[in-house]
């Protein structure tokens, strides 16, 4: 009998996570919870200072505020689910909740790809065309740029999620992941997923390939311009304005390339170890990167450090 004749609608999924490693679950619950609190605190403080400190009302810090808000949204869409799976023996998630979680994670990830490209353009104009910077990066320009990042991320997430969740699922409904990660869900489909593969390939080109190319070209011009600055102090000052962004870009895209670019093991005995490694790498991408972003921008940016100091002193003075 054809397999499609006996498929039934899936009411929910089971998230496997690290259920085969209960000791790791307890350890990672404490670790991920602490990291999540640091993410909320660090990114929350960055959002506050970019709003409250008038000196930070510039395009670069507007994008930074968006990035911080995005990191909070991204981690909140998955971390509570991961923490709950570490504690409860029942790791089921309803079909509708899985779709919402998949949409939010995909939308935030795609938005961040575009937003990092926008931030690279901002640094390019600031360093390579400083005299035109106030005109090119006016409020009428950078607000729509940020809004288009969110819109583009939401649109591609809507397409990818709707294509994935319309598929029939049969047999095993166990997702071998912490969350409803789209690639893990597609493995459960009992229908042709060629359209999904093609649409994801197109999305990868648009949201990964093009931003990486754009950022790379921008930094070629930025570095060339910095090297032409005669004084060492001038070169150092110019590079310091973009070093934090460059560090975030390397961590963000480096983790993605490591996750999806490394070869898969053909040894069945090493499959389990690689499976755990893939899950932990995904966890790094989803939690550690958003935690590092505010730390990197705080350590490498004098304006942010001064704004945070003023915020703390102001709060202390009020008390």
């Amino acid at each position: 009998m054809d397999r499609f004749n006996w498929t039934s609608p899936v009411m929910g999924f089971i998230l496997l996570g690290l259920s085969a490693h209960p000791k790791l679950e307890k350890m990672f619950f404490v670790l991920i919870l602490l990291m999540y609190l640091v993410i909320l605190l660090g990114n929350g403080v960055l959002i506050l200072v970019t709003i409250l400190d008038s000196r930070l009302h510039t395009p670069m810090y507007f994008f930074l505020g968006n990035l911080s808000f995005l990191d909070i949204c991204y981690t909140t869409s998955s971390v509570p689910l991961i923490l709950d799976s570490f504690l409860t023996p029942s790791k089921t998630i309803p079909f509708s909740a899985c779709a919402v979680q998949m949409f939010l994670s995909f939308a935030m990830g795609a938005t961040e790809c575009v937003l990092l490209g926008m931030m690279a353009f901002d640094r390019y104009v600031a360093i390579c065309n400083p005299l035109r910077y106030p005109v090119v990066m006016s409020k009428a320009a950078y607000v729509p740029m940020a809004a288009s990042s969110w819109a583009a991320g939401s649109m591609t997430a809507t397409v990818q999620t709707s294509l994935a969740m319309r598929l029939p699922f049969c047999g095993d409904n166990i997702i071998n992941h912490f969350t409803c990660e789209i690639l893990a869900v597609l493995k459960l489909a009992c229908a042709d997923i060629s359209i999904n593969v093609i649409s994801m390939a197109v999305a990868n080109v648009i949201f990964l390939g093009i931003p990486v190319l754009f950022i790379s070209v921008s930094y070629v011009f930025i570095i060339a311009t910095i090297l032409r600055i005669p004084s060492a102090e001038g070169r150092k000052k110019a590079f310091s304005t973009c070093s934090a962004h460059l560090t975030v870009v390397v961590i963000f895209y480096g983790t993605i390339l490591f996750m999806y670019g490394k070869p898969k093991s053909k040894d069945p005995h090493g499959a389990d170890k690689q499976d755990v490694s893939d899950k932990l790498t995904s966890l790094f991408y989803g939690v550690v990167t958003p935690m590092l972003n505010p730390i990197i921008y705080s350590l490498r940016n004098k304006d942010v450090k001064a704004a945070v100091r003023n915020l703390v002193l102001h709060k202390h003075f009020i008390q």
Side-chain angles (χ1 to χ4, degrees), residues 80-286:
L81 184 64
I82 294 172
L83 293 175
D84 181 66
S85 72
F86 286 157
L87 289 180
T88 58
S90 175
K91 303 176 189 297
T92 58
I93 179 172
F95 186 87
S96 57
C98 185
V100 171
Q101 194 275 320
M102 181 188 294
F103 168 81
L104 291 174
S105 294
F106 206 102
M108 297 304 106
T111 300
E112 185 157 355
C113 290
V114 180
L115 192 62
L116 289 173
M118 300 291 188
M119 294 173 78
F121 177 74
D122 172 74
R123 292 299 83 208
Y124 163 77
V125 178
I127 292 174
C128 300
N129 295 283
L131 296 179
R132 296 192 61 206
Y133 183 76
V135 177
V136 175
M137 295 303 297
S138 64
K139 191 172 183 179
Y142 68 76
V143 171
M145 285 170 66
S148 65
S149 300
W150 288 90
S154 298
M155 285 176 61
T156 189
T158 300
V159 172
Q160 300 303 331
T161 303
S162 59
L163 286 176
M165 303 312 279
R166 71 173 178 79
L167 292 168
F169 299 97
C170 54
D172 199 357
N173 66 336
I174 298 175
I175 298 175
N176 191 17
H177 210 276
F178 294 110
T179 62
C180 292
E181 201 265 343
I182 190 167
L183 295 179
V185 173
L186 289 178
K187 291 179 181 179
L188 305 181
C190 52
D192 182 19
I193 61 169
S194 56
I195 294 178
N196 302 77
V197 173
I198 293 171
S199 66
M200 285 197 67
V202 172
N204 286 339
V205 170
I206 295 173
F207 290 93
L208 286 175
I210 293 178
V212 167
L213 180 62
F214 184 79
I215 292 169
S216 300
V217 172
S218 297
Y219 272 99
V220 167
F221 285 104
I222 288 171
I223 293 171
T225 302
I226 290 175
L227 292 177
R228 288 199 297 267
I229 298 175
S231 67
E233 184 64 28
R235 289 193 296 270
K236 182 180 178 181
K237 184 178 180 181
F239 185 73
S240 67
T241 64
C242 57
S243 60
H245 173 259
L246 186 59
T247 304
V248 169
V249 166
V250 170
I251 294 173
F252 180 77
Y253 286 108
T255 309
I256 292 177
L257 292 174
F258 179 78
M259 282 172 59
Y260 297 109
K262 65 177 181 177
K264 301 296 180 183
S265 174
K266 295 182 180 180
D267 180 10
H269 298 290
D272 184 60
K273 290 183 179 179
Q274 185 178 47
D275 185 50
V276 175
S277 174
D278 290 344
K279 291 177 185 178
L280 295 181
T281 303
S282 174
L283 206 58
F284 174 88
Y285 169 73

